[in-house]
């Protein structure tokens, strides 16, 4: 069965796993009740106390947490340990520009690294491998998470970060990278660059661990064929530590959720009702081992399906499908989370109206991102140079808010079609 990392836990019989979750959940609810007044108040409002939670079967009694709670409690309101016990912060964009901030103790980092190590091992990684990490390093969790996991597996780790394709390819060739970790769109771009430069014979990759954004089976096959590798999906979100909440094994029919650390539920996004296994709905996570930022019943807004069908790899942990969409309006463009409301905030701050349209497409496996903005009537007679300068200003303001570059086009007033119902702010042409 290959080289298993933490095999005992990953192949634990389901009843035993459930008992472990029961015990960890009870302790976690107490920890949160004792240390997070914000969540305690939510529990009190729902008339629930820790005594009501004896195990996973009682989970439904707890209140949900959402991105709005994170915004309300920003920055320290959900912290469950003294600040002095935290060693790291990661962050991602929030709904109106306020960032989501996640905190980690050293123990949290250690468990997170374990989760990422499992993903690397499931992709065939061993201490013989050279693990090339081209996810961004910094506030984004991708680089740090896979870096920690790679160390645990004992791979020779290359913390490349993203960008600078020439250097990526040079190191990949010179150092003999065997596992590539990055977003699927960057993997596709690297694959194309390798072909354009005729480097196929000098690259020795065998596997890729790609996630942080949606990617189709077609895209998987394209990357696999171009790079001569097996491409594995990996899932996670900043709020639950980062990548490694779930990962694919060689069967490639969904991602095993690390159930010793996270309890997964599927709910109806409209009513909040818990749905039976196999139903399509919103994924909700309860973190049962995290110390610093232990979110209970956190609504991910990702729509997917869970299955407990036995897997040929021997792992017993539940599998989630690839996310099939979102129950909110968040877009993921080149791996970055973008909310239309953030764009609106920038436009209003800069004196424009809220008449805009976001056009996203995928050309040559890379996302394009354009924002059409109606100019104000007084700008209509401005010179081309003045309009170009205004567009440039908007490009920088949007970049500062979103952390990603958009193409901005100022269009004539009233030229963006008005809708009779909800405004059509986003045209997403990507087929994923
Ligand atoms: O994207 C963490 C991550 C880094 C995952 C590297 C995998 C690899 P956030 O920036 O907080 O965290 O974005 C989380 O990204 O709710 C999903 O909507 C989406 N997402 C993450 N992984 C996948 C995936 C990281 N494999 C949000 N497929 C999540 C589709 C994904 N969507």
């Amino acid at each position: 069965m290959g080289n298993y990392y933490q095999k005992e836990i990953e192949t634990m019989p389901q009843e035993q796993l459930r008992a472990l979750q029961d015990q960890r959940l009870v302790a976690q609810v107490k920890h949160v009740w004792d240390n997070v007044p914000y969540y305690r108040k939510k529990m009190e409002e729902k008339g629930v106390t820790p005594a009501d939670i004896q195990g996973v079967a009682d989970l439904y009694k707890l209140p949900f947490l959402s991105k709005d709670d994170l915004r309300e409690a920003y920055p320290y309101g959900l912290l469950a340990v003294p600040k002095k016990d935290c060693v790291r912060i990661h962050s991602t964009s929030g709904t109106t520009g306020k960032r989501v901030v996640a905190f980690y103790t050293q123990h949290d980092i250690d468990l997170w690294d374990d989760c990422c190590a499992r993903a690397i091992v499931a992709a065939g990684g061993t201490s013989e491998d050279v693990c090339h990490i081209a996810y961004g390093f910094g506030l984004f969790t991708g680089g740090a998470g896979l870096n920690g996991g790679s160390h645990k597996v004992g791979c020779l780790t290359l913390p490349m970060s993203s960008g600078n394709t020439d250097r990526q390819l040079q190191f990949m060739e010179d150092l003999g990278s065997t596992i590539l970790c990055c977003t699927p769109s960057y993997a596709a771009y690297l694959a194309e660059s390798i072909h354009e430069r005729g480097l196929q014979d000098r690259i020795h990759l065998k596997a890729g661990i790609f996630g942080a954004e949606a990617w189709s089976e077609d895209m998987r096959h394209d990357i696999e064929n171009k790079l001569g590798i097996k491409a594995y999906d990996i899932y996670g979100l900043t709020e639950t530590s980062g990548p490694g909440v779930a990962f694919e094994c060689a069967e490639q029919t969904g991602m095993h959720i690390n159930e010793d650390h996270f309890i997964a539920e599927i709910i109806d996004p409209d009513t909040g009702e818990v749905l039976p296994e196999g139903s399509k709905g919103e994924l909700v996570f309860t973190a049962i081992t995290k110390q610093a930022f232990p979110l209970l019943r956190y609504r991910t807004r990702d729509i997917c399906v869970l299955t407990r069908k036995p897997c040929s790899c021997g792992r017993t942990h539940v599998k989630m499908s690839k996310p099939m969409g979102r129950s909110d309006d968040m877009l993921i463009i080149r791996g970055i989370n973008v909310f239309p409301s953030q764009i609106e905030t920038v436009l209003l701050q800069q004196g424009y109206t809220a008449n805009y349209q976001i056009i996203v497409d995928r050309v040559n496996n890379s996302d394009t991102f354009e924002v059409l903005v109606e100019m104000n009537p007084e700008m209509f007679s401005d010179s081309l140079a003045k309009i170009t300068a205004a567009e440039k200003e908007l490009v920088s303001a949007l970049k500062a808010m979103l952390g990603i570059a958009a193409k901005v086009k100022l269009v004539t007033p009233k030229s963006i079609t008005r809708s009779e119902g909800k405004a059509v702010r986003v045209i997403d042409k990507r087929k994923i």
Side-chain angles (χ1 to χ4, degrees):
M1 224 192 278
N3 179 2
Y4 258 89
Y5 185 78
Q6 302 196 320
K7 177 178 174 182
E8 244 173 63
I9 295 168
E10 291 184 77
T11 61
M12 187 179 263
Q14 286 193 356
E15 318 75 72
Q16 212 178 316
L17 192 57
R18 181 68 177 247
L20 182 69
Q21 286 186 329
D22 285 341
Q23 174 210 326
R24 288 183 170 174
L25 175 66
V26 169
Q28 189 69 302
V29 170
K30 187 172 178 317
H31 171 55
V32 170
W33 174 271
D34 289 345
N35 297 297
V36 186
Y38 184 94
Y39 196 77
R40 181 181 180 141
K41 185 163 165 261
K42 282 191 81 118
M43 282 176 70
E44 281 168 346
E45 278 163 9
K46 231 185 154 211
V48 197
T49 69
D52 298 313
I53 311 296
Q54 296 299 317
V56 180
D58 297 320
L59 195 57
Y60 74 95
K61 297 176 184 166
L62 289 171
F64 291 118
L65 269 176
S66 68
K67 256 201 168 93
D68 283 344
D69 288 303
L70 266 57
R71 197 174 51 185
E72 212 178 305
Y74 175 90
Y76 289 119
L78 286 163
L79 190 59
V81 297
K83 221 180 344 168
K84 70 172 177 47
D85 294 345
C86 296
V87 296
R88 177 102 64 83
I89 288 173
H90 283 283
S91 164
T92 182
S93 48
T95 38
T96 48
K98 241 185 202 172
R99 301 189 72 93
V100 167
V101 215
F103 302 88
Y104 306 72
T105 61
Q106 187 54 52
H107 182 68
D108 292 333
I109 301 257
D110 198 37
L111 299 188
W112 178 26
D113 289 351
D114 281 346
C115 290
C116 289
R118 291 179 191 175
I120 293 171
V121 170
T126 70
S127 55
E128 303 288 330
D129 281 296
V130 178
C131 190
H132 187 114
I133 301 170
Y135 283 114
F137 280 71
L139 286 172
F140 180 57
T141 54
L146 269 306
N147 194 70
S150 174
H151 279 207
K152 283 232 167 175
V153 178
C155 303
L156 176 56
T157 309
L158 271 166
M160 296 296 302
S161 202
S162 50
N164 199 340
T165 301
D166 286 340
R167 195 178 57 189
Q168 302 275 0
L169 298 183
Q170 170 104 52
F171 272 13
M172 213 177 264
E173 181 183 342
D174 294 350
L175 301 173
S177 306
T178 52
I179 299 179
L180 173 64
C181 305
C182 60
T183 58
S185 33
Y186 195 46
Y189 180 70
L190 287 171
E192 259 164 34
S193 308
I194 287 168
H195 275 254
E196 272 164 24
R197 298 171 199 201
L199 294 175
Q200 297 92 303
D201 294 341
R202 298 201 229 155
I203 300 293
H204 302 289
L205 292 173
K206 65 175 193 189
I209 303 177
F210 307 134
E213 63 184 359
W215 52 310
S216 61
E217 284 302 318
D218 286 343
M219 193 163 169
R220 187 205 303 263
H221 295 140
D222 187 45
I223 298 172
E224 287 190 335
N225 291 336
K226 283 211 176 95
L227 289 177
I229 61 168
K230 200 158 165 146
Y232 296 83
D233 205 349
I234 183 166
Y235 170 90
L237 50 158
T238 313
E239 297 90 313
T240 55
S241 64
V245 172
F247 60 87
E248 255 182 354
C249 62
E251 211 186 74
Q252 294 185 317
T253 53
M255 294 177 269
H256 290 284
I257 294 174
N258 282 310
E259 284 192 283
D260 51 326
H261 299 302
F262 302 99
I263 302 173
E265 297 172 277
I266 291 287
I267 62 159
D268 177 325
D270 297 323
T271 63
E273 181 201 350
V274 179
L275 301 177
E277 189 198 318
S279 314
K280 184 172 158 185
E282 183 182 332
L283 186 57
V284 172
F285 282 118
T286 296
I288 46 177
T289 50
K290 286 179 62 176
Q291 296 177 329
F293 201 59
L295 303 187
L296 305 181
R297 298 198 90 202
Y298 182 68
R299 294 186 59 161
T300 64
R301 298 287 174 186
D302 289 317
I303 302 293
C304 71
V305 175
L306 297 180
T307 172
R308 286 199 179 274
K309 284 200 194 99
C311 185
S312 61
C313 77
R315 289 179 181 79
T316 50
H317 293 204
V318 71
K319 278 202 268 194
M320 61 177 272
S321 66
K322 269 181 182 297
M324 300 158 175
R326 301 217 12 119
S327 67
D328 63 4
D329 56 358
M330 186 178 95
L331 292 157
I332 300 184
I333 304 172
R334 288 176 230 137
I336 307 282
N337 304 349
V338 173
F339 288 93
S341 53
Q342 293 175 296
I343 294 173
E344 200 163 308
T345 304
V346 170
L347 297 183
L348 296 172
Q349 277 170 358
Q350 301 280 319
Y352 294 90
T353 63
N355 292 313
Y356 65 96
Q357 201 155 52
I358 303 163
I359 302 171
V360 192
D361 203 350
R362 193 162 275 180
V363 179
N364 296 331
N365 286 319
S366 174
D367 291 339
T368 60
F369 175 26
E370 187 176 25
V371 185
L372 306 183
V373 182
E374 283 187 5
M375 56 181 91
N376 294 322
E378 64 274 15
M379 293 175 78
F380 196 45
S381 50
D382 280 352
S383 66
L384 192 61
K386 232 173 154 184
I387 288 176
T388 311
E391 284 172 343
K392 273 197 181 147
E393 219 171 286
L394 269 181
V395 168
S396 349
L398 285 171
K399 177 100 199 284
M401 169 69 97
L402 307 170
I404 180 178
K407 206 170 139 195
V408 172
K409 198 164 157 195
L410 282 169
V411 295
T412 49
K414 301 221 162 51
S415 63
I416 294 177
T417 321
R418 305 293 192 260
S419 156
E420 291 187 354
K422 275 192 187 189
V424 183
R425 295 272 180 248
V426 180
I427 300 178
D428 194 342
K429 299 180 183 166
R430 296 173 295 183
K431 289 191 182 52
I432 38 180

